[in-house]
Amino acid sequence: MIKDRGYEQEIDKAKDSLSDFQERGIDAIGGNALEFMDGFLTPDEIAESDLRAALISELIKARKEKGISQKKLEELSGVKQPVIARMEKGITSPQIDTILKILIPLGKTLAIVPFEK
């Protein structure tokens, strides 16, 4: 499975912080969030979330490598800047048409390939 390294680093940081809080006897709001999510989400849902995060991460990376602002990407793709911002923040899950419109000016395409479980 494709995983975003930055995403994994943030998860590791959260786990380290949680461990630190627990060692110091501090109750963290949402301290059991990772445990809750592991129990709440199915492995398929976690895999889907990981794939979505990897895709969005690659879109952001491609945009930054091209030196294109969100506003410029709006002009090039026809996708409104607020939609791009919400997508990049993970607030919304973009439709495939939106992703394709954004990929074209970035010189990218989608490929469907097998992934390892």
Side-chain angles (χ1 to χ4, degrees), residues 9-76:
Q9 288 174 341
E10 291 303 316
I11 293 294
D12 289 341
K13 284 183 199 176
K15 288 179 181 177
D16 290 343
S17 293
L18 180 57
S19 294
D20 180 54
F21 287 152
Q22 290 171 340
E23 287 173 14
R24 294 189 289 156
I26 299 171
D27 284 333
I29 295 175
N32 292 323
L34 294 174
E35 292 172 16
F36 173 76
M37 287 179 63
D38 284 344
F40 181 71
L41 299 176
T42 67
D44 287 343
E45 290 170 326
I46 293 169
E48 180 182 330
S49 177
D50 288 347
L51 286 171
R52 186 180 307 108
L55 173 64
I56 297 303
S57 178
E58 287 298 316
L59 288 174
I60 294 168
K61 179 180 167 187
R63 181 178 63 75
K64 290 183 177 181
E65 284 175 353
K66 290 266 189 184
I68 299 173
S69 67
Q70 289 179 351
K71 189 65 178 167
K72 183 66 176 176
L73 188 54
E74 173 186 26
E75 294 169 19
L76 297 170

Side-chain angles (χ1 to χ4, degrees), residues 2-7 47-65 70 73 79 83-96 98-100 102-103 106 108 110:
I2 300 170
K3 285 198 176 182
D4 178 89
R5 185 174 178 184
Y7 173 79
E48 180 182 330
S49 177
D50 288 347
L51 286 171
R52 186 180 307 108
L55 173 64
I56 297 303
S57 178
E58 287 298 316
L59 288 174
I60 294 168
K61 179 180 167 187
R63 181 178 63 75
K64 290 183 177 181
E65 284 175 353
Q70 289 179 351
L73 188 54
V79 176
V83 173
I84 295 169
R86 286 192 301 270
M87 181 185 68
E88 288 187 1
K89 289 180 183 177
I91 296 170
T92 62
S93 290
Q95 294 184 0
I96 191 75
T98 303
I99 293 171
L100 295 174
I102 289 172
L103 285 171
L106 297 175
K108 301 288 184 180
L110 284 179

